[in-house]
């Protein structure tokens, strides 16, 4: 429904923004620190934070509109 469409639009907007800014930010971090291992450690930490809520997500959960 419309609520799911709005949620999808917001999520796509945020993810595409991160995808556009990510390489520039990573390059800036490597230039500032001179360390690739630090960058990879930071990326791994972000990936773990993003993966943390996966156990609480339910397949087939419905997005309900507020009344």
């Amino acid at each position: 429904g419309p609520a799911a469409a709005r949620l999808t639009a917001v999520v796509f907007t945020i993810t595409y923004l991160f995808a556009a800014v990510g390489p520039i930010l990573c390059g800036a971090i490597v230039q500032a620190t001179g360390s690739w291992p630090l960058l990879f450690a930071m990326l791994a930490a972000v990936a773990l934070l993003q993966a943390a809520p996966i156990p609480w997500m339910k397949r087939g959960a419905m997005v309900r509109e507020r009344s």
Side-chain angles (χ1 to χ4, degrees):
R6 283 193 300 271
L7 179 62
T8 300
V10 169
V11 170
F12 279 149
T13 301
I14 292 169
T15 55
Y16 278 112
L17 179 64
F18 281 133
V21 174
I24 297 167
L25 183 60
C26 289
I29 291 170
V30 170
Q31 279 191 336
T33 65
S35 174
W36 281 98
L38 175 63
L39 175 64
F40 290 133
M42 292 171 70
L43 290 173
V46 169
L48 288 174
L49 287 173
Q50 290 176 337
I54 289 174
W56 290 277
M57 294 179 181
K58 295 181 180 175
R59 184 178 187 98
M62 300 295 289
V63 177
R64 300 181 202 278
E65 288 204 43
R66 295 179 187 175
S67 51

